[in-house]
Amino acid sequence: MSNFKSKYASLPDFYRSLILAIVLSFPVFFIYFFALGSVTDKATFILNDTLILVLMYFVAALSLDLEVGSLGLPNFGKVGFIALGAYITTIIMNLGLFGNFLVDYAFGFVLACIVSAIFGWLIAIPSVKLRADYFAIMTIAGGEIIRLVLQNEKRYFWKLTDPVLNIKEPLLLNTFKQNLSNLQIFGIIFSDVLTLNLGSFTLGFGDTILYTLDLNFGGIFIWQFFVFLLFLAIAIIIYLFVEVIRKSPYGRTLRAIREDDITVTSVGKDVYTYRWQIAVIAAIICSIAGSLFCILNSAFEPIDFRPYITFNLFVFIIVGGIGNSRGVAFGTLLIQMFIVSSTSEIVKANLNIKLSEILPVIGPIMQDFQIKMDLSADYTRFVILGVILIIFLLYRSEGIIPEPKSNNERYLSLLTEDERKDSDLAVQQMQSSSEKDRIQSQFAEKETIDEV
Amino acid sequence: MLVIGLNMTYSVLKFSNFAHAEFVTLGMFLGWWSLQVLTYLIPSDAPLGDLINNIFIHACFSFIGVGTFGIICDKLVFSRLRNSQANATTFTVSSIGIGIIARYVFGMIWGELPVPGAKYSSIPSFPGFIPEFLRETRYNIALLDTPFGFQRIAITNYELYIIFIAFILVYTVDYFFKNTKLGIAMRATSDSHELAQVTGIDTKRIIYYTWFIAAGITGFAGAWIRAKQNNFTLLDGSEVYLLPIFAAAILGGVGSFKGGIISSFILAFSRQGTVILFTQFQLSNGILPLEDILNIVTFAPGYADGIGFVILIIVLLFRPQGISGTVDVSRARV
């Protein structure tokens, strides 16, 4: 075991990430394909239930990672901004100011960004001066206040179901999908169905069939595909935007603040300004995720925006890799696949063990003592997510794909081949030696000087 | 009118432990569970049955259970994080993670919503030696004719006991922290690990004691609060009590027990006051029909849950060290 451990530790970073990724994704893919096998409409399951959800959460996780990963602000109120984005976009769409739902959506999208920027600024201004744990409490409180406002301001945020009796419901409906399915542009009818059938393959020899691979993916509507393209485009734009921020001198300043804010203050940068700027940018990105959320879930109410969504976002970024957009993408894909498959019907039906009713001798005693021991999918999912989070925090806090140690490729490419080799070696030496070694070597130098 | 969370007052822990909510939940569950078990084991007509099967025993049971759970948490996760010199963000995130794990493991064991009286009674009894007038279930203390309408203070015996025990515990813990050897050792450890070790204090053991007492008192309070409520769910700890606990702890000043109980009273009174005021604002024949005058905002009594957060934000803005605290909450700055 120790031999294996030392071998693992001596591997290059890339292979270590690869091993971890394979080890972690194998059970996830296993559950996912198990769930996929039971679904008749495979294309909808892959595209609509998984990928679109992943893209939406990817945008939200990026906004969180910009705060936690780049700046070290543990924001636990993300779900409030998702709610704001979803609500404002839907309300503007339901007003129908321009007559065209796409223009309405775009207008609501922009307005949601502005409103959440203002809210983000209001929450950020008092809280950026606080310590990390107080900042977390502050943002939880901010997110809860947003949820309370959405719940209680019936005048604006509740839907009027009966105009005569003035009865209102908290459930809001978004008509984006409906309108999109009725659309017809350039002869493409959006309610048509795309089908993909690759037949089925059987694996085995002779008469014994080991495994049957069913590749009849079923069909999806063109509008579903269009929604997927829209989500993909927005996610890519946000990804590029975040990458630009991270690679710019501004992003380097952010990382410096994360590591040591006193040093940054001493070279004349205003730390708080950077903090609230990033908080506002993250709020805007999060409200974009909310605008995508309202397309995804056409009906929602305030109770849907529970704090556990923020917790899921934290799991995504910590498993994938803090401060690293590609890691966030991988983590979101992996964990969201796990969540989707563990909430599917077949997994729930299979994983529903009531130990107190099954066990022969201890069971009745447990029933007498009112101990249930239900191993149902709903509980197990959260326990597994929490355990994964804790294990990553304890043993690999940089995530599956660690943050790149230098990202100034633009400037490195200006150097010649030899110069670059030298600088790479120097950086590697610096990074490979631990703090202790460095101090010892400094002492050794000092002693030699003294002897001379 | 008067609702006091006893648990609000005990934030002995030195970092923001979000798993604290799960200590409350576990305390509730253990109190309920020990009631079930004891009712099962002891027949109701047994002599001196209520001497064993009473609320004090349940609360002590959850004290021990939750205290042990706190030590387990520390041993498995927090001590390792301390050894690896993790930053505050890591501590916060991992305590939330522990909270989630713990909550759903409790759900696995006892089910999400333990039905009160599914098999036995869910209301614990008091021991027989307590006089009859103290076991009465409900008191109407005062009837006030205020401008806000006809208000009364109705208080149940559980709430009365909770207030009483809260005051006793606050002064005991305060004395314990300032005057006993263990309390002094705890304070020394929290100031500086190395210096405490130099003077011969076993810091590891002191940290375990701290966890046991802090978590145990939370569980004790949880059992009492459970007895007051008609029913309780798995999410009670994290969704109902977590933020008020933090609000009270910060308002009172972290580490100050007397400040904690004062701030709990302030929070509880302002919450109830908001309910009454906002209800009046909503009525068109109330003292001040603000909702009709200002036709843009709703004065829903549901906002009362948010008043704690507003107080929290105001406190953090203007007096972040709390009523009597000396803790510096701002980030290190030159």
Side-chain angles (χ1 to χ4, degrees), chain A residues 47-69:
Chain A
L47 202 75
N48 202 21
D49 296 353
T50 314
L51 282 180
I52 291 182
L53 206 64
V54 167
L55 288 172
M56 195 273 287
Y57 278 123
F58 175 56
V59 175
L62 267 183
S63 89
L64 180 65
D65 193 42
L66 196 63
E67 279 184 304
V68 182

Side-chain angles (χ1 to χ4, degrees), chain B residues 234-258:
Chain B
L234 201 57
L235 299 173
D236 262 11
S238 57
E239 297 204 340
V240 181
Y241 292 112
L242 177 66
L243 282 169
I245 290 171
F246 273 107
I250 291 170
L251 179 62
V254 176
S256 158
F257 302 106
K258 286 171 189 166

Side-chain angles (χ1 to χ4, degrees), chain A residues 378-391:
Chain A
D378 287 336
Y379 298 143
T380 321
R381 178 173 79 243
F382 282 104
V383 173
I384 289 174
L385 278 185
V387 169
I388 288 176
L389 178 79
I390 297 285
I391 287 174

Side-chain angles (χ1 to χ4, degrees), chain A residues 34-225:
Chain A
F34 181 65
L36 190 65
S38 72
V39 182
T40 46
D41 210 354
K42 290 189 173 55
T44 316
F45 186 72
I46 292 176
L47 202 75
N48 202 21
D49 296 353
T50 314
L51 282 180
I52 291 182
L53 206 64
V54 167
L55 288 172
M56 195 273 287
Y57 278 123
F58 175 56
V59 175
L62 267 183
S63 89
L64 180 65
D65 193 42
L66 196 63
E67 279 184 304
V68 182
S70 291
L71 197 52
L73 295 174
N75 192 334
F76 282 93
K78 282 279 136 191
V79 70
F81 294 103
I82 296 180
L84 261 189
Y87 263 84
I88 291 168
T89 316
T90 308
I91 287 163
I92 296 293
M93 271 191 74
N94 288 349
L95 284 179
L97 294 174
F98 297 96
N100 185 342
F101 76 98
L102 279 173
V103 182
D104 277 339
Y105 178 75
F107 181 65
F109 189 93
V110 174
L111 200 73
C113 288
I114 294 170
V115 172
S116 20
I118 294 169
F119 260 88
W121 187 76
L122 281 179
I123 295 179
I125 281 298
S127 48
V128 289
K129 293 178 183 173
L130 303 171
R131 237 167 52 190
D133 39 359
Y134 287 88
F135 184 86
I137 297 168
M138 246 341 227
T139 45
I140 290 179
E144 286 288 294
I145 286 176
I146 290 178
R147 194 165 68 87
L148 276 178
V149 168
L150 292 179
Q151 216 159 26
N152 286 316
E153 294 290 333
K154 302 179 185 179
R155 206 169 314 199
Y156 310 110
F157 299 118
W158 286 33
K159 187 173 149 257
L160 198 68
T161 45
D162 194 340
V164 184
L165 294 172
N166 201 17
I167 294 174
K168 292 191 168 187
E169 270 189 1
L171 197 70
L172 269 187
L173 293 174
N174 189 303
T175 50
F176 189 88
K177 277 183 181 173
Q178 241 175 22
N179 282 323
L180 198 67
S181 60
N182 297 330
L183 206 64
Q184 196 172 355
I185 311 171
F186 308 128
I188 303 169
I189 302 163
F190 271 54
S191 54
D192 268 0
V193 179
L194 288 171
T195 53
L196 180 67
N197 189 354
L198 297 177
S200 65
F201 297 95
T202 51
L203 200 72
F205 46 88
D207 291 337
T208 53
I209 295 166
L210 285 176
Y211 182 68
T212 312
L213 190 64
D214 186 11
L215 284 179
N216 182 4
F217 281 95
I220 51 158
F221 294 108
I222 290 182
W223 63 264
Q224 282 179 331
F225 194 67

Side-chain angles (χ1 to χ4, degrees), chain A residues 68 71-74 76 125-138 140-142 144-145 147-150 152-156 261-263 265-266 269-272 275 306-308 311 314 318 364-365 367-376 378-390 393-395 397, chain B residues 14-16 18 32-33 36-37 40-41 76-77 80-81 84 88-90 92-98 100-101 104-105 107-115 118-120 234-235 239 242-243 246-247 250 254 291 294-303 305-307 309-310 312-313 316-317 320 327-334:
Chain A
V68 182
L71 197 52
L73 295 174
F76 282 93
I125 281 298
S127 48
V128 289
K129 293 178 183 173
L130 303 171
R131 237 167 52 190
D133 39 359
Y134 287 88
F135 184 86
I137 297 168
M138 246 341 227
I140 290 179
E144 286 288 294
I145 286 176
R147 194 165 68 87
L148 276 178
V149 168
L150 292 179
N152 286 316
E153 294 290 333
K154 302 179 185 179
R155 206 169 314 199
Y156 310 110
D261 49 352
I262 296 173
T263 315
T265 317
S266 69
K269 306 263 186 196
D270 189 359
V271 174
Y272 298 152
R275 285 206 176 111
R306 288 289 179 94
Y308 76 85
F311 174 74
F314 264 92
I318 283 167
I365 301 175
Q367 273 184 11
D368 282 339
F369 285 113
Q370 304 248 335
I371 292 179
K372 281 184 182 159
M373 290 306 282
D374 293 354
L375 292 181
S376 72
D378 287 336
Y379 298 143
T380 321
R381 178 173 79 243
F382 282 104
V383 173
I384 289 174
L385 278 185
V387 169
I388 288 176
L389 178 79
I390 297 285
L393 279 176
L394 282 179
Y395 298 110
S397 50
Chain B
K14 284 296 159 199
F15 67 96
S16 299
F18 285 86
W32 172 82
W33 185 63
Q36 308 294 325
V37 170
Y40 176 75
L41 289 179
L76 284 181
V77 181
R80 290 170 199 226
L81 283 178
S84 64
T89 312
T90 317
T92 315
V93 176
S94 60
S95 70
I96 290 179
I98 288 177
I100 296 253
I101 297 174
Y104 288 98
V105 168
M108 270 186 195
I109 296 175
W110 286 296
E112 183 165 358
L113 191 114
V115 186
K119 206 165 183 180
Y120 315 107
L234 201 57
L235 299 173
E239 297 204 340
L242 177 66
L243 282 169
F246 273 107
I250 291 170
V254 176
E291 185 156 322
L294 286 171
N295 211 4
I296 43 168
V297 275
T298 314
F299 286 98
Y303 277 136
D305 292 332
I307 202 75
F309 311 152
V310 176
L312 180 65
I313 289 173
L316 282 176
L317 261 180
V327 180
D328 186 19
V329 296
S330 60
R331 284 170 192 264
R333 198 171 183 203
V334 186

Side-chain angles (χ1 to χ4, degrees), chain A residues 65 67-73 246 252-261 264 271 275 322-324 403-404, chain B residues 87 331:
Chain A
D65 193 42
E67 279 184 304
V68 182
S70 291
L71 197 52
L73 295 174
R246 286 211 172 124
R252 272 198 287 280
T253 317
L254 298 183
R255 280 200 298 282
I257 294 173
R258 180 191 66 187
E259 295 299 330
D260 189 352
D261 49 352
V264 178
V271 174
R275 285 206 176 111
I322 268 190
N324 176 15
E403 191 183 3
Chain B
N87 54 6
R331 284 170 192 264

Side-chain angles (χ1 to χ4, degrees), chain A residues 298-370:
Chain A
S298 2
F300 52 88
E301 49 186 327
I303 218 82
D304 288 340
F305 301 98
R306 288 289 179 94
Y308 76 85
I309 292 178
T310 318
F311 174 74
N312 280 357
L313 294 181
F314 264 92
V315 180
F316 296 157
I317 68 167
I318 283 167
V319 168
I322 268 190
N324 176 15
S325 306
R326 266 173 290 173
V328 172
F330 184 70
T332 315
L333 183 69
L334 204 65
I335 302 294
Q336 194 58 46
M337 268 169 80
F338 170 71
I339 293 175
V340 165
S341 48
S342 64
T343 44
S344 69
E345 291 299 319
I346 184 154
V347 175
K348 271 189 182 173
N350 271 299
L351 187 66
N352 191 10
I353 308 162
K354 292 196 163 87
L355 278 183
S356 61
E357 290 170 14
I358 291 173
L359 289 178
V361 184
I362 317 166
I365 301 175
M366 278 161 72
Q367 273 184 11
D368 282 339
F369 285 113
Q370 304 248 335

